[in-house]
């Protein structure tokens, strides 16, 4: 039997200001579970002092097992999580962000839900979100579209704080490319795992700044394409786009070509992705 019960994976890019408080709170919160725990910090090629601080932690005695993965250059949050998953040894794998916007003290509650068998993956649902109004509304719209597309009744799919069984983490690995971390709960649900959400408090990012700019919205849309055809509504969107574009083209409207190109790109992207990552 694997004696290590829980692995907490934290992706970090330039989080030197958050690391001291994060580490203190994380170790304290996880020690309270009474379970054997390891914390896996993944330094995503930080250019500040994060890497050095992590090495210092490794040299000091710690109440829980601390491990560090150093990526040679910045590869993005999904790749950082994936690198953490591949070394994690726990039966339950937890992820959280370094900025503590979801307080580390909520993690034992998520672990308990997975441990009890109530869920294979539980994702935190940020209550009273402390982000800009634009982000909050974009997130609400995004989640509403995802609920419509997939029928999975989650409200905060992209929250960085999650807990899952080791099996789920392993099955998700092939999907962890581009910025697909956003969709992990939906992918797990489509694979047949029980996915639930747990309300958690949310606080402002007090130190450092968000690492994602406005391009996150474009990347989220592009990343949605490969697996949207898993659901019949994804096909509905695709056929509507392709059908109306064909009709417009036949009616001599040049805009139809644009639709056809988009529909072709969607189908082509989905197919390529499936061939590369979807097959088992
Ligand atoms: N992060 C990372 N690599 C990146 C971008 C972000 O490892 O290229 C980490 C970051 O350090 C943080 C987590 O991913 O621990 C979430 O990032 P952030 O708080 O900037 O995202 P937001 O809350 O704005 O979505
Ligand atoms: Mg954040």
């Amino acid at each position: 039997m694997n004696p290590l019960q829980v692995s907490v994976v934290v992706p970090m890019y330039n989080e030197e200001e958050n690391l001291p408080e994060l580490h203190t709170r994380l170790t304290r919160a996880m020690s309270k579970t009474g379970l054997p725990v390891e914390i896996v910090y993944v330094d995503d090629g930080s250019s500040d002092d994060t890497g050095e601080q992590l090495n210092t932690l490794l040299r000091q005695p710690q109440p829980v097992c601390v491990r560090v993965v150093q990526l040679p250059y910045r590869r993005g949050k999904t790749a950082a999580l994936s690198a953490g998953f591949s070394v994690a040894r726990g039966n339950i794998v937890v992820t959280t962000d370094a900025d503590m916007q979801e307080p580390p003290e909520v993690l034992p509650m998520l672990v308990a839900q997975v441990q009890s068998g109530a869920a294979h993956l539980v994702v935190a649902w940020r209550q009273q979100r402390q982000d800009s109004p634009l982000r909050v509304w974009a997130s609400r719209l995004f989640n509403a579209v995802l609920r419509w597309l997939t029928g999975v009744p989650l409200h905060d799919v992209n929250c960085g704080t999650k807990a899952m069984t080791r099996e789920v983490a392993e099955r998700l690995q092939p999907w962890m490319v581009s910025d697909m971390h956003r969709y992990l709960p939906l992918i797990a649900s489509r694979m047949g795992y029980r996915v639930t959400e747990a309300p958690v408090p949310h606080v402002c990012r007090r130190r450092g700044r968000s690492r994602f700019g406005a391009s996150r919205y474009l990347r989220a849309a592009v990343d949605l394409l490969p697996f949207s055809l898993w659901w019949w509504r994804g096909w509905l969107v695709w056929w509507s786009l392709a059908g109306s574009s064909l009709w417009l083209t036949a009616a001599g409207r040049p805009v139809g070509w644009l639709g056809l190109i988009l529909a072709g790109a969607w189908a082509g992207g989905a197919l390529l992705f499936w061939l590369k990552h979807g097959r088992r």
Side-chain angles (χ1 to χ4, degrees), residues 97 99 101 205:
D97 293 346
D99 55 16
Q101 288 196 262
R205 197 183 228 280

Side-chain angles (χ1 to χ4, degrees), residues 28 53 56 67 127 166 172 179 181 191 227 233 239 243-244 247 253 275:
R28 195 182 302 142
Q53 284 190 26
T56 310
R67 299 169 69 204
Q127 304 292 297
R166 175 178 192 80
L172 288 174
D179 271 357
H181 62 267
M191 286 171 171
F227 71 100
R233 284 182 172 153
W239 280 112
S244 53
W247 185 76
R253 306 271 175 87
L275 290 176

Side-chain angles (χ1 to χ4, degrees), residues 65-139:
C65 172
V66 175
R67 299 169 69 204
V68 172
V69 179
Q70 294 273 3
L71 300 182
Y73 59 94
R74 185 181 181 186
R75 293 183 51 205
K77 183 175 175 181
T78 303
L81 284 170
S82 174
F85 280 20
S86 51
V87 302
R89 296 172 298 189
N91 297 331
I92 295 175
V93 178
V94 176
T95 67
T96 195
D97 293 346
D99 55 16
M100 297 166 280
Q101 288 196 262
E102 296 84 62
E105 291 72 23
V106 306
L107 297 181
M109 180 265 292
L110 300 187
V111 169
Q113 293 198 14
V114 175
Q115 211 183 16
S116 72
H120 296 112
L121 183 151
V122 53
V123 53
W125 174 11
R126 293 167 277 192
Q127 304 292 297
Q128 280 141 24
R129 266 186 78 170
Q130 304 296 315
D131 287 317
S132 71
L134 171 72
R135 270 193 71 180
V136 175
W137 280 102
S139 167

Side-chain angles (χ1 to χ4, degrees), residues 4-21:
L4 251 173
Q5 290 294 321
V6 186
S7 300
V8 185
V9 176
V10 190
M12 314 192 81
Y13 176 71
N14 287 357
E15 300 284 4
E16 63 178 4
E17 292 166 280
N18 285 315
L19 182 53
E21 181 183 339

